[in-house]
């Protein structure tokens, strides 16, 4: 292995390891593949250029050119219908906004993917610059460390120690590679024995490297764990309510904002929970519900008068048949004062010291005697509950029901501002059923218009709500939950706002819940299903419950928040890629460097040629997939075989074109596929799709295949392809032409199933 | 092409036009139940028998009667009760004093369309008399065999509620029915239209025959000639086989089910105007043909997974066949 290749490989590995530290800050892992691909391309091109006369300068230039090409190309791919420059600008702005408005782990966003790939690529180029170009391997830690700082600053104490170890291990690899190179140089100089050519590093060096590297990693890990982080200390916050003192919670909303805003995150309770035997995910925590606010007026969501009953919880409102499977939870409360008992929903049986009673409508437990306000302090208790996760498909067609307290939870105050009513109706105009309307509300609130922030004025009254919905568009869980609950009532779905704790963090077998886990969420009531939890608050790590994301049974309506929107603006119908290979205008070299002349780092003709070659390689690599795809299309449409074969080829071509345009191909028989395409993507070419599907069907299943000539087949396919391209934006069409996804699909035969 | 003596190109146009007329005629009596009517026609063309399960009053008997009348065939209705005797179904030899000889009095089964109402109310012995005649299309009484005139189709109804004091058909006997259909309640519009129609007269009286038994017999013969490609046969076998390995099923479908699924698919293809069966024929009939023959496991019952859902899963789990 050449010395420069070894260093390149070490830089690659170090950057890849540093990239792993980015894992916790986003939910979308697709940047990993993109980054690895980009890094591989950069490394390979650089290594090739280094072998030419272009030398280190050429390598650097080609490295940068490849990075810019990848970054720009990816931007064009990810941002539809924009040119490279606008796409980069747009994605950078969107990415920065995303970073500012969300907290880790962020939701998937193409802008973030682009930012990360660009950052990782830049890190590789910088590492290579330091390690190879400037020949200063010992500085090679800096770029990886910079990458590592991103999650370190964003996550602080949540960052796994492994991340730090990864960066240091990468650095050790660079040092190791340099060490091997040095040893080889040294041995060449001293032992010039032709009988024993030095090919590889002696085992001694490997051993000594291990002696250095292993303790270094171990030491960094120990240091990491030993240094205390801020979250573990109980420093009273400087906020006005007497620091980390007892947290009163007589009105359950009062402390939400204050606690969410505290700089210190004080643990309030721990619990262990055993999921029922039939649970899907047995390793999940539970939402602990404290209170429920069913009453709405101009001052916001409030408690209503409650009849408190003693004993074990009664019937679950709205639920006819409950699963016999129980979840067992043991809860230990520490420094937390409340008259409400945190309980998983729906509680069925509890063993708790003290005197408690429950509200039969909300199943909320309230202290009934003694020092009620401090009833939960240092309390240890256990509860059996049932997990009633509604079936998403059933829910998607459910109607808003009428619970026993419908006169409270189903009433809309007469003085509710009209603009809120109008907004609710507007958001849900498209949704066919009540539950899908609710899902539309949730998607709207999570959709990116609103920003999670604990800064806005507290409250859920009309004023706070209109301010949140129409002006400020910033809020925290209370506003999100209140807004969704109010709008659900506008639509006739009974609703209430629940206050409680998020599941918290798992430490060993125990879940730890802190003040920052205080949360509010809307509960909506559906006929035949009962009260269901929804999650309209974006950006604090919460994910909407599964059942609110189900596809409805019949339509194509998805209730998931729209992650990407189809561009609708018109673009000229052309398949011409705008990224033409720009030929370098370098004239052929008449005066190459003499064989004895050492290439040096000065920028000269040779370097220009090297850079030009690098660019050509890049462009060729970029154009390769599209070319392969076009060749495949030509072969398929050339005819030649028997009729059945030709029809199958035409069908396979349509399948690949659909995959190129949309990424997926329906499953089923030809007719089923054509029905799906005709009602969706290919509505404008429905007759052609149906005709081809019937031909395929006849070719496969009938006694005699239908009669059709090759020219007609070609016309059918090209009509369908035109219809596919029409609604696509320029960016999409370039992507289809340059990076056809159908090439990546496993070719389980040319048959389109 | 292999020589098969009876193979000929089926007259698909005749099948679609006649079945279309029959469907329209029956629809004047039963509104908004097109899928049930179509399934009944498929079963008729495929020489099977139909099991209709639903609550009382949704038109189970009406469907059978209208179908029989529209094809101008004899219709007999047998009301199954615990005291119904096998001889009430097959017939009995009676001594005729004038001729001084035994004379055969045909039972209720001697008709083209036999409606067996609430079949689960009769004793198992009586049920099996009906089911034997269904399978063999003939009746043997006192050593003499009487053939039942084609077309012959039994439409048995079962009421899924009020099961007390009844004898639900055992699985082996349910297997004799080609398909099961659940009528379901009509839509609001259909029910309104029904009020208008049934308000004054019985629409069954106004129903005029649109074809005759001989035509139906010839159409049955035509439907048998619908082409089934090898991959489709494999698909049918795969779908049926999937029911035998599904973890929610204690008992999968029988080889008889395979044959009947193939026959029904042929009839449906012909009714849809095709001289070949496509995978959609098979998949759309799978639930009707298979669901009543399988036994869900106790876990499935506890999880409220119905045979209909499970058969749907089986069908979705089998890849649609491609060209061989």
């Amino acid at each position: 292995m050449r010395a420069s290749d070894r260093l390149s490989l070490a830089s690659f590995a170090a950057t890849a390891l540093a990239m792993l530290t980015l894992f916790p800050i986003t939910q979308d892992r697709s940047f990993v593949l993109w980054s690895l691909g980009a890094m591989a391309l950069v490394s390979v091109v650089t290594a090739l250029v280094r072998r030419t006369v272009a030398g280190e300068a050429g390598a650097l230039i080609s490295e940068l050119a490849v990075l810019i090409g990848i970054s720009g190309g990816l931007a064009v791919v990810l941002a539809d219908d924009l040119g490279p420059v606008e796409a980069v600008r747009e994605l950078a702005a969107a990415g920065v906004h995303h970073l500012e408005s969300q907290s880790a782990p962020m939701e998937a966003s193409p802008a973030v993917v682009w930012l990360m790939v660009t950052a990782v690529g830049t890190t590789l180029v910088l590492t290579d610059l330091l390690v190879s170009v400037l020949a200063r391997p010992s500085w090679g830690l800096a770029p990886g460390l910079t990458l590592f700082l991103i999650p370190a600053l964003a996550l602080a104490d949540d960052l796994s120690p492994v991340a730090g170890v990864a960066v240091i291990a990468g650095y050790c690899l660079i040092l190791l590679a340099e060490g091997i190179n040095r040893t080889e140089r040294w041995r060449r100089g001293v032992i010039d024995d032709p009988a024993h050519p030095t090919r590889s590093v002696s085992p001694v060096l490997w051993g000594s490297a291990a002696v250095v590297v292993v303790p270094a990693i171990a030491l960094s890990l120990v240091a990491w764990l030993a240094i205390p982080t801020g979250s573990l200390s109980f420093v009273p916050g400087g906020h006005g309510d007497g620091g980390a003192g007892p947290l009163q919670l007589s009105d359950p909303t009062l402390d939400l904002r204050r606690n969410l805003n505290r700089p210190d995150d004080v643990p309030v309770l721990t619990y262990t929970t055993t999921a029922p035997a039939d649970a899907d995910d047995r390793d999940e925590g539970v939402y602990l519900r404290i209170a429920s606010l069913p009453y709405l007026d101009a001052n916001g969501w409030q408690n209503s008068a409650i009849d408190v009953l003693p004993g074990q919880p009664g019937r679950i409102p709205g639920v006819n048949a409950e699963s016999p499977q129980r979840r067992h939870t043991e809860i230990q409360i520490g420094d937390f004062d409340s008259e409400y008992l945190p309980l998983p929903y729906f509680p069925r049986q509890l063993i708790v010291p003290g005197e408690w009673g429950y509200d039969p409508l909300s199943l909320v437990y309230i202290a009934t005697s003694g020092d009620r306000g401090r009833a939960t302090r240092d309390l240890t208790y256990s509860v059996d509950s049932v997990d009633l996760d509604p079936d998403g498909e059933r829910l998607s067609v459910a109607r808003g029901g009428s619970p026993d307290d419908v006169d409270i939870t189903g009433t809309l105050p007469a003085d509710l501002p009209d603009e809120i009513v109008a907004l609710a109706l507007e958001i849900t105009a498209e949704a066919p059923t009540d539950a899908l309307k609710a899902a539309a509300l949730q998607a709207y609130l999570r959709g990116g218009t609103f920003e999670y922030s604990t800064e806005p004025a507290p409250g859920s009254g009309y004023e706070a709500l209109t301010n949140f919905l129409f002006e400020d568009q910033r809020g925290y869980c209370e506003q999100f939950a209140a807004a969704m609950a109010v709008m659900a009532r506008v639509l006739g779905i009974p609703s209430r706002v629940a206050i409680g704790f998020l599941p918290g963090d798992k430490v060993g077998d125990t879940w730890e819940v802190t003040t920052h886990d205080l949360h509010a969420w809307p509960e909506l009531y559906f006929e035949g299903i009962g009260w269901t939890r929804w999650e309209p608050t974006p950006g604090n790590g919460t994910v909407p419950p599964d059942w609110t994301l189900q596809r409805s049974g019949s339509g194509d309506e998805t209730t998931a928040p729209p992650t990407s929107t189809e561009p609708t603006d018109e673009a000229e119908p052309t398949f011409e890629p705008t990224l033409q290979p720009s030929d370098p205008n370098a004239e052929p070299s008449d005066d190459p460097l003499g064989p004895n002349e050492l290439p040096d780092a000065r920028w000269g003709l040779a370097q220009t040629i090297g850079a030009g070659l690098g660019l050509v390689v890049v462009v060729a690599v970029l154009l390769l997939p599209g070319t392969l795809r076009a060749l495949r299309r030509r072969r398929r449409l050339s005819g030649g075989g028997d009729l059945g074969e030709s029809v199958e080829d035409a069908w396979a071509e349509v399948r690949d074109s659909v995959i190129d345009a949309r990424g997926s191909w329906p499953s089923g028989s030809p007719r089923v596929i054509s029905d799906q395409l005709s009602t969706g993507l290919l509505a404008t070419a429905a007759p052609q799709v149906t005709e081809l599907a019937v031909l395929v069907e006849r070719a496969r299943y009938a006694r005699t295949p239908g009669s059709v000539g090759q020219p007609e087949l070609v016309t059918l396919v090209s009509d369908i392809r035109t219809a596919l391209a029409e609604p696509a934006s320029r960016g999409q069409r370039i992507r289809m032409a340059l990076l056809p996804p159908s090439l990546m699909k496993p070719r389980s035969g040319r048959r389109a199933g | 092409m292999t020589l098969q003596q009876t193979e000929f190109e089926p007259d698909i146009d005749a099948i679609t036009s006649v079945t279309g007329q029959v469907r329209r005629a029956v629809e004047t009596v039963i509104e908004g139940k097109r899928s049930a009517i179509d399934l009944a026609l498929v079963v008729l063309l495929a020489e099977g028998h139909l099991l209709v399960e639903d609550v009382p009053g949704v038109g189970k008997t009406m469907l059978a009667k209208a179908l029989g009348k529209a094809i101008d065939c004899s219709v007999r209705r047998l009301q199954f009760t615990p005291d119904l005797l096998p001889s009430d179904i097959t017939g009995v030899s009676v001594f005729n004093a004038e001729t001084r000889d035994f004379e055969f009095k045909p039972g209720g089964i001697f008709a083209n369309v036999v409606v067996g109402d609430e079949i689960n109310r009769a004793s198992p012995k009586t049920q099996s008399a009906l089911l034997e005649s269904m399978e063999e299309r003939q009746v043997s009484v006192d050593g003499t065999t009487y053939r039942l005139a084609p077309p012959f189709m039994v439409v048995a109804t079962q009421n899924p509620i009020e099961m007390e004091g009844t004898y639900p058909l055992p699985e082996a006997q349910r297997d004799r029915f080609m398909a099961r259909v659940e009528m379901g309640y009509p839509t609001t519009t259909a029910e309104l239209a029904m009020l208008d129609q049934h308000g004054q007269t019985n629409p069954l009286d106004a129903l005029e025959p649109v074809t005759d038994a001989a035509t139906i017999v010839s159409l049955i013969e035509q439907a048998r000639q619908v082409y089934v490609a090898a991959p489709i046969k494999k698909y049918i076998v795969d779908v049926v086989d999937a029911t035998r390995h599904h973890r929610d099923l204690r008992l999968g479908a029988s080889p008889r089910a395979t044959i009947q699924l193939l026959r029904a698919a042929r009839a449906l293809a012909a009714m849809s105007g095709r001289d070949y069966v496509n995978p959609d024929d098979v998949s759309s009939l799978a639930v009707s043909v298979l669901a009543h023959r399988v036994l869900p496991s106790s876990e499935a019952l506890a999880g409220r997974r119905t045979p209909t859902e499970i058969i749907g899963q089986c069908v979705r789990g089998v890849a649609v066949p491609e060209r061989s």
Side-chain angles (χ1 to χ4, degrees), chain A residues 294 361 400-412 489 492-496 525 531:
Chain A
L361 296 168
S402 72
D404 292 342
D405 53 350
V406 69
D407 52 334
I408 299 172
T409 56
T411 337
L412 200 62
R489 277 203 193 174
I493 308 168
S495 63
R496 62 193 188 197
Y525 187 92
W531 290 101

Side-chain angles (χ1 to χ4, degrees), chain B residues 175-186:
Chain B
D175 201 27
R176 311 276 172 109
F177 289 95
M178 174 174 274
R180 181 187 61 178
V181 63
E182 282 166 16
M183 298 290 287
Y185 290 110

